[in-house]
Amino acid sequence: MIEVEWQNLKAQDLRRLADENAVVILPVASIEQHGPHLPTMTDTRLGHEVAIRAARKASDTRPVVVTPVVWSGLSEHHMPFGGTLTISHATFRALIKDLIVSITRHGFRDILISNSHGGNIIAMHQICDELAPVVDATLVATTYPAEAAEELRGILEDQDGMQHACEAETAMMMALEGDLVDSSDLAALASKAVDGPSFLRAGKASYRWRPFTHLTGNGVAGNPARATAYKGERLIEVSADALAAMITDPDTWAAPEDLRADGAGGVAFRPDP
């Protein structure tokens, strides 16, 4: 099996991959409460697995390497339930920026920031906005449950997409780390599934921060009783397939177009006299 994990490769292997124009996947996640039945590393474990599988699937078309997971994410909204480690927005942005700059200094030019925690999404997009104009690389930010939303929806029974400690995440953890899942009374943990981050909305299209206690009393959003290891394996596979398809699509990494007329840089747009 092809080795795709950065930390398992030697420096000369990574120099060769940079010369071969490999894509780098930088997984970002969290350590946070996932209800009474799942370990706090759920997002980190799932994000890592999806990234590794996607890299191996895509490597037949283009070389891909996956860095270690950045487990320290933005999880202030989960703090009231305990067990959560969170960092500030400033720290998160500085950390991801420094890692991206480090990767580009080695010659890698296409970087996929692959996220597995909803609380990171806004900051992740901001990081791309800040860095893309100033680094010599194409930066793409994805959150795998969103990229694979249609495929996930076709497998799930009680919800339209990924929630939290739910049918999906519980099933995926059953497939990967079954010994860490407390399945003794999953039906008692079911909470109302929501339409994505709807509990953060105000008005018709406005944002309002709320802790996760605003949504659930036990840290669960969704119905983990619907979870099975078989379903979890299917969910992991379609998530990896979705990322692999994006990685191998040349349009993902195409240079931005410049539609200005010849010689327009720094000169007002006007026809020749």
Side-chain angles (χ1 to χ4, degrees), residues 144-214:
Y144 79 82
E147 187 65 27
E150 183 177 350
E151 294 81 1
L152 297 177
R153 190 177 303 116
I155 297 171
L156 296 171
E157 299 175 70
D158 273 2
Q159 53 196 67
D160 290 334
M162 188 80 75
Q163 300 294 321
H164 186 78
C166 57
E167 176 185 350
E169 288 191 327
T170 303
M172 295 166 81
M173 286 299 287
M174 284 177 170
L176 296 178
E177 303 286 351
D179 291 345
L180 298 181
V181 179
D182 181 358
S183 57
S184 59
D185 195 9
L186 293 178
L189 303 179
S191 295
K192 180 181 178 181
V194 295
D195 176 19
S198 60
F199 75 106
L200 299 175
R201 295 176 189 149
K204 294 181 179 179
S206 301
Y207 174 84
R208 175 190 60 191
W209 185 88
R210 283 290 184 265
F212 212 58
T213 52
H214 183 74

Side-chain angles (χ1 to χ4, degrees), residues 226-258:
R226 289 288 196 180
T228 67
Y230 172 73
K231 182 185 292 183
E233 180 62 24
R234 292 172 63 203
L235 293 168
I236 296 165
E237 277 293 293
V238 298
S239 298
D241 286 339
L243 291 195
M246 182 172 59
I247 290 168
T248 56
D249 183 352
D251 285 345
T252 302
W253 311 108
E257 296 185 31
D258 187 344

Side-chain angles (χ1 to χ4, degrees), residues 31-48:
I31 296 292
E32 63 184 21
Q33 73 83 25
H34 271 74
H37 64 299
L38 292 179
T40 57
M41 57 81 152
T42 292
D43 286 348
T44 295
R45 181 67 179 92
L46 298 183
H48 176 263

Side-chain angles (χ1 to χ4, degrees), residues 113-136:
I113 309 168
S114 181
N115 176 49
S116 54
H117 168 55
N120 295 338
I121 293 174
I122 294 174
M124 188 175 63
H125 292 177
Q126 290 172 332
I127 290 164
C128 285
D129 286 348
E130 292 171 2
L131 286 184
V134 297
V135 298
D136 185 18

